[in-house]
Amino acid sequence: MSEFNTTDFTNPSTFILLGIPGLEAAHVWISIPFSAMYTTAILGNFTILFIVKREPSLHGPMFYFLCMLAVTDLVMSTSTLPKMLSIFWFNSREISFSACLTQMYFDHSFSGMESGILVAMALDRYVAICHPLRHSTILTRPLVAKIGLAVVLRSGIIALPYPFLARRWPYCRTNIIPHSYCGHIAVVKLACADIRISSYYGLFDLFSVNGMDVFFIAVSYTQILRAIFLLPTKDARLKTFGTCISHLCAIFALYIPIFFFSLSHRFGHNVPLYLRVLITSVYQVVPPVLHPMIYGVRTKEIRGRL
């Protein structure tokens, strides 16, 4: 077919997404859990936003950050899942070059925002546990708004080079992307040029943004654990630590797939391609599904409103 032509050309107007290479025959079956999770993510995150908006008692720093996380999850999953499902259901594999770059930008920028919001939530937990009497005076609404703006600007600016780097390379081999969405490395690997700049920038982003965020979260929880161990009774320690469980689950759900995805695409040549693509595709929907469940079940204020 002409759309799968791999003869020489320069900078194609469209790319072809293969979905999950090697598992094409199972695409319809794979779509069932993906569509179920995407629907759950949409309903769950809108429910969080609705509850926080309707309940004045929830208008505090923790729930503001939770709303930011819900919006980020909605945008991040919606930037990739509808196209992914159209591949699984209708074999609609074609995507324009501009749409591919737009999807790439949204994926990287909102993934970075999610990481930054988790750092802000770690700060909220630190202040709430280590300085409980000063929580409302430290994390004021203007400060929360500034933190949110800083997270958005940081991620939006750092993600800008991704589409520009991808656009500058000549593509003269093939327009077939062996992936379910337009990830940066998956696209630039098709270029017939030295793409080390793109690869190095991806690693810089991974370790300077996600790596630094993990470091700040670790510092926050080191201080939190020190404060918890100073509490007089075991029950008090367990109760205080229980307020952090939701946040810790969200951290693991985000960072483990991120580091696996970024490092396996560069160094995991022994990992089967279908497994890499499947895991990174699942990553697009699992955190948006888990966050409403984690915070809905673990946060008594939201659980009570539900």
Side-chain angles (χ1 to χ4, degrees):
M1 294 176 65
S2 60
E3 66 177 1
F4 293 97
N5 183 19
T6 60
T7 56
D8 288 350
F9 55 90
T10 303
N11 293 341
S13 59
T14 59
F15 283 115
I16 305 300
L17 291 165
L18 291 186
I20 301 177
L23 297 180
E24 289 86 353
H27 273 178
V28 173
W29 296 106
I30 293 171
S31 72
I32 296 173
F34 273 82
S35 58
M37 287 191 291
Y38 181 51
T39 303
T40 304
I42 296 293
L43 294 175
N45 285 290
F46 271 118
T47 300
I48 294 289
L49 293 171
F50 178 76
I51 290 174
V52 174
K53 179 175 175 21
R54 289 292 299 272
E55 293 293 336
S57 62
L58 300 182
H59 294 178
M62 174 185 174
F63 297 101
Y64 289 144
F65 291 138
L66 183 56
C67 286
M68 294 179 201
L69 188 64
V71 172
T72 301
D73 283 339
L74 287 168
V75 176
M76 190 174 76
S77 58
T78 302
S79 68
T80 55
L81 262 295
K83 180 59 182 177
M84 201 182 298
L85 290 174
S86 72
I87 296 170
F88 295 157
W89 286 337
F90 310 115
N91 203 32
S92 175
R93 301 181 176 186
E94 191 172 280
I95 184 171
S96 70
F97 192 32
S98 297
C100 187
L101 296 181
T102 302
Q103 188 183 70
M104 181 190 301
Y105 175 76
F106 272 83
D107 176 56
H108 285 283
S109 61
F110 279 86
S111 176
M113 287 178 204
E114 191 164 1
S115 178
I117 292 166
L118 290 181
V119 175
M121 296 175 87
L123 173 64
D124 173 74
R125 291 296 83 211
Y126 164 73
V127 176
I129 292 173
C130 298
H131 305 284
L133 300 179
R134 299 171 56 203
H135 184 264
S136 59
T137 57
I138 294 175
L139 287 178
T140 60
R141 286 189 180 184
L143 180 60
V144 170
K146 289 176 183 178
I147 291 172
L149 181 61
V151 168
V152 171
L153 289 178
R154 182 195 70 161
S155 303
I157 292 171
I158 289 178
L160 271 178
Y162 283 115
F164 285 107
L165 285 171
R167 184 180 286 277
R168 75 187 292 267
W169 304 126
Y171 297 89
C172 55
R173 296 196 193 102
T174 179
N175 64 338
I176 299 173
I177 302 174
H179 214 293
S180 56
Y181 65 94
C182 292
H184 176 244
I185 290 297
V187 172
V188 299
K189 277 186 174 180
L190 304 181
C192 49
D194 187 348
I195 61 166
R196 280 182 294 181
I197 294 176
S198 290
S199 182
Y200 291 155
Y201 186 78
L203 288 174
F204 165 77
D205 182 14
L206 177 68
F207 289 105
S208 66
V209 175
N210 298 116
M212 288 300 295
D213 287 350
V214 169
F215 171 76
F216 288 128
I217 290 171
V219 170
S220 296
Y221 271 94
T222 300
Q223 298 300 316
I224 288 170
L225 290 174
R226 286 180 60 189
I228 288 174
F229 286 129
L230 292 175
L231 293 174
T233 65
K234 182 179 179 181
D235 288 342
R237 289 194 290 268
L238 290 174
K239 185 177 180 180
T240 305
F241 184 73
T243 63
C244 302
I245 295 296
S246 300
H247 186 236
L248 289 171
C249 291
I251 290 169
F252 290 124
L254 177 69
Y255 288 115
I256 291 175
I258 279 182
F259 282 95
F260 175 85
F261 166 61
S262 299
L263 297 177
S264 66
H265 264 283
R266 292 171 175 85
F267 310 114
H269 304 297
N270 295 327
V271 180
L273 177 61
Y274 75 87
L275 184 60
R276 278 184 279 153
V277 174
L278 182 62
I279 291 176
T280 53
S281 300
V282 168
Y283 159 71
Q284 296 297 312
V285 71
V286 166
V289 170
L290 286 181
H291 292 157
M293 293 182 178
I294 290 169
Y295 288 102
V297 172
R298 294 292 310 176
T299 307
K300 64 179 182 180
E301 294 88 350
I302 292 178
R303 188 171 65 247
R305 300 310 182 277
L306 282 173

